[in-house]
Amino acid sequence: MDKRKLKRAAELIDRAGHILVFAGSGLSAESGIPTFRGEDGMYSNPDVLRYAHADALREEPEAALAWFQKMRDMIDDYEPNPGHYALARICAERDCTIATQNVDRLLESAFLREGLTKEGIWHLHGSLFRSRCDVCDEPLEEPPTDYTAAECDECGGIIRPDVTLFGEMLPEAPYLRAQGAAHVADVVLLLGTSGIVYPAATIPGLARSHGAKLIEINPNPTELSEIADVVIRGKTGEVLPEIDRLLA
Ligand code: OAD
C-alpha cells in the first residue's frame, strides 16, 4: 500500500467539513457477497438477470418472490468486514453522508456493533431489508418473514423488497440526499464501485464540479479513476482500517 497516498487521504478526510461516501458492492466483497460484474459476479448467474427485472414480478410473481426471499436469507447470513467497521468509525464523529448502492445492511450492522450511531445510511438502489407494497407503494415497518405468503393490509397487493429493479426508477429521497451532499462535500470517498450505473454515477462528478476532492479505493481501475484526486489501489477491507488508524 502506498503510504504517501494513505496519508494524503487521511489529511483530506481530517480537514473536510463534509464527507460524502459513495459506495458499491466492492465494499461488501470481503464479507463474501459477490460484486455484480466480473467473472464470478452476480450477473453471471442467469437467475439474477431474470428476477432483478421488474417484468419478472409482473409475469411470474411467485417465482420472483421466492427468489427474493432466498436472496434476503442468504445475504442476512453475511457479516460486516473490517472495511465496514473502519468506515463506521471514520464517519461516526464526522459530518458525513453515506450514499450506498448496496442493498445489504452490513454498514448498519457495523455501526450498531461498534456502538456508534448514524442518522440514516442512504440506499440509492433500495434495501433488501425494507419492504413495500408493489401496488400502492405502502412501506412496511418490518419486512415479512415469508414474501411468498405476504399481502398488503391496505390494498391486498403483493409485498416486495424495496429494491430498485431493472426497468424501475431510483427512490427519490436517497438520490436527493446524495445530490445535496455532493453540493457541499469537501471530500468524496469512492468505495468499491465501478461507477458505471446511472443516474447514481453522476454523484461523484457533481461533487467534483462543486470543488470536492475525490478519493478512490478500489483494487481495479474504474470509470471514476480519471476524475479522482487520490487513487488507492487496494481492498476497502484493508485500506479503510489503515486510514482509520492514521486518523485516530
Ligand atoms: P460492480 O460489480 O459494477 O463493481 C464492483 C467494484 O468493486 C469493481 O470496481 C471492483 O473492482 C471493486 N471491488 C471488488 N472487490 C473489492 C474490494 N475488496 N474492495 C474495494 N473494491 C472492490 O458493482 P457496483 O459498482 O456496486 O444496481 O454496481 C453498481 C450497481 O450496478 C449496483 O448497485 C446494481 C448493479 O446493477 C442495482 O441493483 C440497481
Side-chain angles (χ1 to χ4, degrees):
M1 242 179 278
D2 185 329
K3 292 236 161 65
R4 247 174 351 111
K5 287 188 180 177
L6 287 174
K7 207 165 151 242
R8 173 85 180 120
E11 279 165 6
L12 286 171
I13 291 169
D14 209 23
R15 268 194 264 133
H18 190 83
I19 300 164
L20 169 60
V21 174
F22 182 69
S25 55
L27 179 64
S28 296
E30 286 154 275
S31 295
I33 304 178
T35 58
F36 288 93
R37 298 170 180 83
E39 219 173 289
D40 298 320
M42 296 243 202
Y43 289 151
S44 60
N45 176 347
D47 273 358
V48 176
L49 292 173
R50 178 170 168 192
Y51 295 122
H53 204 289
D55 287 348
L57 255 186
R58 314 282 113 74
E59 290 161 11
E60 39 179 345
E62 276 178 25
L65 290 171
W67 182 78
F68 282 130
Q69 180 77 33
K70 198 172 89 182
M71 287 298 285
R72 190 187 66 184
D73 292 346
M74 183 187 85
I75 292 207
D76 209 18
D77 283 342
Y78 292 101
E79 298 286 333
N81 67 57
H84 294 109
Y85 288 116
L87 186 61
R89 290 191 297 271
I90 291 168
C91 286
E93 298 295 320
R94 294 184 169 82
D95 189 7
C96 182
T97 299
I98 299 181
T100 178
Q101 298 163 91
N102 298 343
V103 296
D104 63 51
R105 56 176 173 188
L106 295 178
L107 256 177
E108 284 89 342
S109 296
F111 270 95
L112 208 66
R113 291 188 199 178
E114 287 279 307
L116 302 168
T117 48
K118 176 88 198 80
E119 243 186 57
I121 292 169
W122 298 94
H123 287 264
L124 295 167
H125 295 159
S127 166
L128 268 176
F129 297 91
R130 288 197 312 250
S131 310
R132 64 179 162 87
C133 173
D134 189 48
V135 179
C136 72
D137 256 4
E138 192 65 27
L140 266 71
E141 284 202 5
E142 281 290 319
T145 43
D146 180 2
Y147 274 115
T148 58
E151 65 174 37
C152 178
D153 287 342
E154 303 294 320
C155 75
I158 59 173
I159 300 298
R160 56 169 285 179
D162 196 6
V163 292
T164 309
L165 303 172
F166 289 120
E168 293 182 329
M169 305 280 280
L170 297 196
E172 201 173 37
Y175 188 56
L176 290 177
R177 281 289 181 145
Q179 275 188 325
H183 281 82
V184 297
D186 302 298
V187 166
V188 183
L189 297 178
L190 306 169
L191 306 178
T193 179
S194 57
I196 60 173
V197 175
Y198 285 83
T202 58
I203 300 291
L206 179 65
R208 189 169 190 262
S209 70
H210 283 85
K213 298 281 186 209
L214 271 46
I215 302 170
E216 178 175 71
I217 304 175
N218 196 312
N220 302 302
T222 73
E223 292 293 309
L224 300 170
S225 302
E226 256 189 29
I227 59 165
D229 299 277
V230 182
V231 174
I232 302 178
R233 288 277 165 256
K235 297 178 174 180
T236 42
E238 293 168 4
V239 176
L240 287 170
E242 288 296 326
I243 293 177
D244 179 42
R245 266 190 282 280
L246 290 172
L247 287 166

Coordinates of all heavy atoms in Angstrom, one line a residue, residues 24-27 29-30 35-37 43 101-102 125 164 166 192-197 217-220 222 234-237, ligand 1:
G24 N -20.1 1.0 -3.3 CA -20.7 0.0 -4.2 C -20.4 -1.4 -3.6 O -19.9 -1.6 -2.5
S25 N -20.7 -2.4 -4.4 CA -20.6 -3.8 -4.0 C -19.2 -4.3 -3.5 O -19.1 -5.2 -2.8 CB -21.2 -4.7 -5.0 OG -20.6 -4.6 -6.2
G26 N -18.2 -3.6 -4.0 CA -16.8 -3.9 -3.6 C -16.6 -3.8 -2.1 O -15.8 -4.5 -1.5
L27 N -17.4 -2.9 -1.5 CA -17.3 -2.7 0.0 C -17.7 -3.9 0.7 O -17.2 -4.2 1.8 CB -18.1 -1.5 0.4 CG -18.1 -1.1 1.9 CD1 -16.7 -0.7 2.4 CD2 -19.1 0.0 2.2
A29 N -17.6 -7.0 -0.7 CA -17.0 -8.2 -1.3 C -16.2 -9.0 -0.3 O -16.3 -10.3 -0.3 CB -16.1 -7.8 -2.4
E30 N -15.5 -8.4 0.6 CA -14.7 -9.1 1.6 C -15.6 -9.8 2.7 O -15.1 -10.6 3.5 CB -13.6 -8.2 2.2 CG -12.5 -8.0 1.2 CD -11.8 -6.7 1.5 OE1 -12.3 -5.6 1.0 OE2 -10.8 -6.7 2.2
T35 N -19.6 -9.2 -6.1 CA -19.9 -7.9 -6.8 C -20.8 -8.3 -8.0 O -21.1 -9.4 -8.2 CB -18.6 -7.2 -7.3 OG1 -17.9 -8.1 -8.2 CG2 -17.7 -6.8 -6.1
F36 N -21.3 -7.3 -8.7 CA -22.2 -7.5 -9.8 C -21.5 -8.0 -11.1 O -21.9 -9.0 -11.7 CB -23.1 -6.3 -10.1 CG -24.0 -6.0 -9.0 CD1 -23.7 -5.2 -8.0 CD2 -25.3 -6.7 -9.0 CE1 -24.6 -5.0 -6.9 CE2 -26.2 -6.5 -8.0 CZ -25.9 -5.6 -7.0
R37 N -20.4 -7.3 -11.4 CA -19.8 -7.6 -12.7 C -18.5 -8.4 -12.5 O -18.1 -8.7 -11.4 CB -19.5 -6.2 -13.4 CG -20.8 -5.5 -13.7 CD -20.8 -4.1 -14.2 NE -22.2 -3.7 -14.4 CZ -22.9 -3.2 -13.5 NH1 -22.5 -3.0 -12.2 NH2 -24.2 -2.8 -13.7
Y43 N -24.0 -11.0 -11.9 CA -24.7 -11.1 -13.3 C -24.2 -12.2 -14.1 O -24.7 -12.4 -15.3 CB -24.4 -9.7 -14.0 CG -25.2 -8.6 -13.4 CD1 -24.7 -7.3 -13.5 CD2 -26.4 -8.8 -12.7 CE1 -25.5 -6.2 -12.9 CE2 -27.1 -7.8 -12.2 CZ -26.7 -6.5 -12.2 OH -27.4 -5.4 -11.7
Q101 N -24.9 2.1 -2.9 CA -25.7 1.4 -3.9 C -26.0 0.0 -3.5 O -26.7 -0.7 -4.2 CB -24.9 1.4 -5.3 CG -24.6 2.7 -5.8 CD -23.5 2.6 -6.9 OE1 -23.7 2.5 -8.1 NE2 -22.2 2.7 -6.4
N102 N -25.5 -0.4 -2.3 CA -25.7 -1.8 -1.9 C -27.1 -2.0 -1.2 O -27.6 -1.1 -0.5 CB -24.6 -2.1 -0.9 CG -23.2 -2.1 -1.6 OD1 -23.1 -2.1 -2.8 ND2 -22.2 -2.1 -0.8
H125 N -30.1 2.4 -4.3 CA -30.9 1.4 -5.0 C -31.8 0.5 -4.1 O -32.1 -0.6 -4.4 CB -29.9 0.4 -5.8 CG -29.1 1.2 -6.8 ND1 -27.9 0.7 -7.3 CD2 -29.4 2.3 -7.5 CE1 -27.5 1.6 -8.3 NE2 -28.4 2.6 -8.4
T164 N -34.4 -1.4 -6.1 CA -34.6 -0.9 -7.5 C -34.3 -2.0 -8.5 O -33.2 -2.5 -8.5 CB -33.7 0.3 -7.8 OG1 -33.9 1.2 -6.7 CG2 -34.1 0.9 -9.1
F166 N -34.3 -3.6 -12.5 CA -34.1 -3.1 -13.9 C -35.5 -2.7 -14.4 O -36.5 -3.3 -14.1 CB -33.6 -4.2 -14.8 CG -32.2 -4.5 -14.6 CD1 -31.8 -5.8 -14.2 CD2 -31.2 -3.6 -14.7 CE1 -30.5 -6.2 -14.0 CE2 -29.9 -3.9 -14.5 CZ -29.5 -5.2 -14.2
G192 N -15.3 0.9 -3.7 CA -15.7 -0.4 -4.3 C -16.9 -0.3 -5.3 O -17.8 -1.1 -5.2
T193 N -16.8 0.7 -6.2 CA -17.8 0.8 -7.2 C -17.2 1.0 -8.6 O -16.2 1.7 -8.7 CB -18.9 1.9 -6.9 OG1 -19.8 1.9 -8.0 CG2 -18.3 3.2 -6.7
S194 N -17.8 0.4 -9.6 CA -17.3 0.6 -10.9 C -17.7 1.9 -11.5 O -17.2 2.4 -12.4 CB -17.9 -0.6 -11.8 OG -19.3 -0.5 -11.8
G195 N -18.8 2.5 -10.9 CA -19.2 3.9 -11.3 C -19.8 3.9 -12.7 O -19.7 4.9 -13.3
I196 N -20.4 2.8 -13.1 CA -21.0 2.8 -14.4 C -22.5 2.8 -14.5 O -23.1 2.8 -15.5 CB -20.4 1.7 -15.3 CG1 -20.8 0.3 -14.7 CG2 -18.9 1.8 -15.5 CD1 -20.4 -0.8 -15.6
V197 N -23.1 2.8 -13.3 CA -24.6 2.7 -13.3 C -25.2 4.1 -13.0 O -25.0 4.6 -11.9 CB -25.1 1.6 -12.3 CG1 -26.6 1.6 -12.2 CG2 -24.6 0.2 -12.8
I217 N -11.0 4.2 -3.6 CA -10.3 3.0 -3.0 C -10.9 1.8 -3.7 O -12.1 1.4 -3.6 CB -10.6 2.9 -1.5 CG1 -10.1 4.1 -0.8 CG2 -9.8 1.6 -0.9 CD1 -10.4 4.2 0.7
N218 N -10.1 1.1 -4.5 CA -10.6 0.0 -5.4 C -9.3 -0.7 -5.9 O -8.4 -0.1 -6.3 CB -11.4 0.6 -6.5 CG -12.2 -0.4 -7.3 OD1 -11.8 -1.5 -7.6 ND2 -13.5 -0.1 -7.5
P219 N -9.3 -2.0 -5.9 CA -8.2 -2.7 -6.5 C -8.0 -2.6 -8.0 O -6.9 -2.8 -8.5 CB -8.4 -4.2 -6.1 CG -9.8 -4.3 -5.6 CD -10.3 -2.9 -5.3
N220 N -9.1 -2.2 -8.6 CA -9.1 -2.1 -10.1 C -9.4 -0.7 -10.6 O -10.2 0.0 -9.9 CB -10.1 -3.1 -10.7 CG -9.8 -4.5 -10.2 OD1 -8.7 -5.0 -10.5 ND2 -10.8 -5.1 -9.6
T222 N -11.5 2.1 -12.6 CA -12.9 2.3 -12.9 C -13.1 3.5 -13.8 O -12.2 4.3 -14.1 CB -13.7 2.5 -11.6 OG1 -13.4 3.8 -11.1 CG2 -13.3 1.5 -10.5
G234 N -6.4 -0.9 -3.8 CA -6.4 -1.8 -2.7 C -7.8 -2.1 -2.3 O -8.8 -1.5 -2.8
K235 N -8.0 -3.1 -1.4 CA -9.3 -3.5 -1.0 C -9.8 -2.6 0.2 O -9.0 -2.3 1.0 CB -9.3 -5.0 -0.5 CG -8.9 -6.0 -1.6 CD -8.8 -7.3 -1.0 CE -8.6 -8.3 -2.1 NZ -8.5 -9.7 -1.6
T236 N -11.1 -2.3 0.2 CA -11.6 -1.4 1.2 C -11.4 -2.0 2.6 O -11.1 -1.3 3.6 CB -13.1 -1.1 1.0 OG1 -13.8 -2.3 0.6 CG2 -13.2 0.0 -0.1
G237 N -11.4 -3.4 2.7 CA -11.3 -4.0 4.0 C -9.8 -3.9 4.5 O -9.6 -4.2 5.7
Ligands
OAD1 P1 -19.7 -3.6 -9.9 O1 -19.8 -5.1 -9.9 O2 -20.1 -2.9 -11.1 O3 -18.3 -3.1 -9.4 C1 -17.7 -3.6 -8.2 C2 -16.4 -2.8 -8.0 O4 -15.9 -3.3 -6.7 C3 -15.4 -3.1 -9.0 O5 -14.8 -1.8 -9.5 C4 -14.3 -3.9 -8.3 O6 -13.0 -3.6 -8.8 C5 -14.5 -3.4 -6.9 N1 -14.0 -4.3 -5.8 C6 -14.0 -5.7 -5.8 N2 -13.5 -6.1 -4.6 C7 -13.2 -5.0 -3.9 C8 -12.7 -4.8 -2.6 N3 -12.4 -5.8 -1.8 N4 -12.5 -3.5 -2.2 C9 -12.8 -2.5 -3.0 N5 -13.3 -2.6 -4.2 C10 -13.5 -3.9 -4.7 O7 -20.7 -3.2 -8.7 P2 -21.3 -1.7 -8.3 O8 -20.4 -0.7 -8.7 O9 -21.7 -1.8 -6.9 O10 -27.6 -1.8 -9.3 O11 -22.6 -1.7 -9.3 C11 -23.4 -0.6 -9.2 C12 -24.8 -1.1 -9.5 O12 -24.9 -2.0 -10.6 C13 -25.4 -1.9 -8.3 O13 -25.9 -1.2 -7.3 C14 -26.5 -2.7 -9.1 C15 -25.8 -3.0 -10.4 O14 -26.7 -3.1 -11.5 C16 -28.9 -2.2 -9.0 O15 -29.1 -3.2 -8.4 C17 -29.9 -1.2 -9.4

